[in-house]
Amino acid sequence: MNTAKQVNVMIGLLFVGLLGTFGYFLFDNGFNALGIDFEGRESTARIRQERINVERGGHLYALNCRSCHGLTGQGALENAGLPGAPLNLSSVRPPEASEAEVAAFADRYNATIHCGRVGTLMPPWSTDEEGPLNDFQIEQLVMLITSEFSEEGWEFAVEEGNHSDVFDPHKTLEVEIGEDDRIIVLNDASGLDNVEFVRIGGDTIDEPYEVLAIVEVDAEEGTVEVERGAQNSAPLAHEAGAEVYNGPLAPPDGPIVGESGTPPCGQAAARPAGGGETFEVSGDVTLVMGDNFFEYEGAQNPTFEVSAGDTVSFTLPNEGSAIHNLRIAGPDGEYETDDDLVSDPDLIPGGAEGTLEFAAGEAGTSPYRCDLHPVDMAGEVILVE
C-alpha cells in the first residue's frame, strides 16, 4: 500500500472514530432534533428508576396510608371525613411546581412522614421513631407525592388498593341499585357476617365510590341489608355486575400525636385548643394561619365575639408551609354538617390565601378549626346580642 492510500485509510479510520465518539456522546447525553427530545442513557436510567420508585411508593401507600388519606390520596377532597391531608395534588409536583418548590415540598413531606405531626393523628413512620418504614421507603412515598410521574403512581396505588380489597371469591352486584335501595343482591354473600363495611365504585382513580354499612346478611338468599352513604360517602346508583370490595377501614380517632409522652423528633407538645384571647370583630378580619396555629393581632387561636346580624369577612393568609383551612361549625355547633362554613379554597397551601364570610345569626357559640390540625388549630366564635 502506497503512502497516499495509507493516509486515506488513517483519515477514514479517524473519521469513523470521531463519528463513533460523537454518536456515543449523543447516546449518553441525549439530544434534540426537529424539536423532539431524545433522552440519553443516563437520563433514561434515571427516569426508569424514578418510575420504579414511584410505583413502589404507590404500593407502600396502599398498604399503610389509605385509612387516613383515602383511596386516591386526596384526603378531605375525596371524603370530608378523612383526617389525612391531601397528598395527590398537582400543585406540589411538576409541571405546576418549580424545581425549587418541589424540593421544598419533598423536604416537608419527608420530615412529616419521618416524625409525624404533633396535634394531629399523623404518627411517626420512621424506624428511628419506632415506626415501620426505613428511610428509602419514606423517600419512595415522597417521590409518589412529588414526582413528575406521580399520576402513574397514584393510579397504581388505587389498583393496589382495589386488589387488596377484593373478596375471595369475588362479590358482585346481581341487580342494579338506585341511591335509595337498602337491599343489595350479590352473587355470593357468604362471609359478610363479620364485615362492617363494603365499598362499591372506585375501580379507577377518577371513578367515585360509595361506602355501605352492613346491617343484616342472608347468605342463602344472597341479600344484604345496608345503610347507604356510610363514612361520609354519598349514595350512588350502581350497575349490575359492579365489583363489591371489602370496605375501607374507618379512620382512627386517636391518639393525637404529642398529647402524652415525649413528642417525636423534638417537636413541641400539642397545645390545647381554644382558650385564646377574646376579640370583638366585624367587617374585614385577617386571620393568619401558621404551623400549627391561627393568629390574630399576636394572639393564637383567639376567641371572636360577633354581634348578631354582623358579617365578618375573614382573609386567611397561610404563612406556614403545611396545608391549612378554616371551618366554622354552624348554629348546631357540630362539624361536618350541612350548616358548616368552609374557607374558599377549602385547602390552602403554604404561601397561598383563602377567604371565608361569616354572617352572625342568633346568639350562641360556634367552634372553628383547621380540618387538618383540629387539636392545635381551634377556637370559638361567640355570637352576642
Side-chain angles (χ1 to χ4, degrees):
M1 182 180 297
N2 60 36
T3 303
K5 288 184 178 180
Q6 289 177 325
V7 170
N8 289 335
V9 169
M10 292 177 63
I11 292 174
L13 291 173
L14 180 61
F15 183 70
V16 170
L18 288 173
L19 282 177
T21 301
F22 181 66
Y24 182 82
F25 175 83
L26 293 179
F27 167 70
D28 202 41
N29 295 277
F31 62 98
N32 179 285
L34 302 176
I36 302 173
D37 288 321
F38 294 88
E39 300 286 354
R41 181 182 62 172
E42 181 179 352
S43 179
T44 300
R46 178 194 65 78
I47 290 171
R48 181 173 62 251
Q49 189 59 52
E50 186 169 344
R51 280 191 158 125
I52 291 172
N53 285 327
V54 168
E55 183 175 297
R56 289 175 179 169
H59 175 73
L60 289 167
Y61 177 89
L63 286 177
N64 299 288
C65 311
R66 292 187 297 147
S67 63
C68 286
H69 298 275
L71 180 68
T72 66
Q74 294 175 316
L77 297 177
E78 174 183 323
N79 184 315
L82 292 170
L87 302 175
N88 182 4
L89 299 170
S90 59
S91 58
V92 302
R93 61 189 185 233
E96 287 193 25
S98 67
E99 184 176 345
E101 289 171 331
V102 168
F105 282 127
D107 288 344
R108 177 74 179 185
Y109 286 119
N110 193 298
T112 299
I113 298 171
H114 187 101
C115 295
R117 293 289 290 175
V118 164
T120 75
L121 294 171
M122 177 68 179
W125 286 87
S126 170
T127 53
D128 293 341
E129 298 294 329
E130 301 183 1
L133 301 182
N134 61 40
D135 288 348
F136 187 54
Q137 290 173 315
I138 291 175
E139 183 62 28
Q140 288 173 330
L141 280 171
V142 172
M143 293 180 75
L144 167 69
I145 300 167
T146 61
S147 169
E148 62 182 302
F149 308 113
S150 288
E151 289 187 22
E152 299 173 22
W154 286 114
E155 289 171 358
F156 182 79
V158 171
E159 182 181 331
E160 282 284 283
N162 286 334
H163 179 74
S164 298
D165 293 343
V166 166
F167 286 103
D168 184 16
H170 283 236
K171 301 189 186 303
T172 58
L173 289 178
E174 288 282 278
V175 180
E176 67 177 18
I177 59 173
E179 297 177 6
D180 300 322
D181 291 325
R182 290 179 55 86
I183 302 295
I184 62 175
V185 182
L186 304 181
N187 65 318
D188 182 344
S190 62
L192 290 181
D193 292 320
N194 298 317
V195 175
E196 189 174 1
F197 299 100
V198 294
R199 168 172 61 90
I200 305 177
D203 294 318
T204 67
I205 199 166
D206 296 319
E207 182 184 357
Y209 64 84
E210 177 188 0
V211 180
L212 303 87
I214 293 180
V215 178
E216 188 174 350
V217 178
D218 187 334
E220 290 187 5
E221 295 293 328
T223 59
V224 183
E225 182 182 353
V226 294
E227 175 187 328
R228 303 299 302 273
Q231 292 188 10
N232 291 288
S233 63
L236 301 169
H238 303 286
E239 297 180 353
E243 187 83 40
V244 177
Y245 297 99
N246 206 333
L249 295 173
D253 56 9
I256 298 296
V257 177
E259 267 191 328
S260 61
T262 303
C265 299
Q267 297 179 75
R271 294 184 295 272
E277 294 183 44
T278 299
F279 298 87
E280 295 181 12
V281 294
S282 64
D284 296 330
V285 171
T286 298
L287 181 61
V288 174
M289 299 182 294
D291 298 334
N292 290 325
F293 54 84
F294 291 106
E295 184 174 273
Y296 178 70
E297 295 189 357
Q300 292 188 0
N301 298 336
T303 297
F304 293 116
E305 287 189 352
V306 182
S307 297
D310 280 358
T311 296
V312 179
S313 297
F314 288 100
T315 299
L316 305 163
N318 185 353
E319 296 185 0
S321 54
I323 297 171
H324 300 299
N325 76 348
L326 173 63
R327 178 184 295 271
I328 302 178
D332 63 3
E334 299 289 334
Y335 292 119
E336 307 296 348
T337 57
D338 292 340
D339 59 358
D340 286 8
L341 297 173
V342 185
S343 57
D344 180 19
D346 55 0
L347 296 169
I348 307 168
E353 185 174 279
T355 59
L356 186 151
E357 188 164 294
F358 176 80
E362 298 179 358
T365 299
S366 294
Y368 71 81
R369 74 181 187 192
C370 168
D371 286 333
L372 307 176
H373 309 95
V375 173
D376 272 5
M377 301 178 68
E380 294 180 333
V381 178
I382 300 174
L383 310 183
V384 296
E385 296 288 355

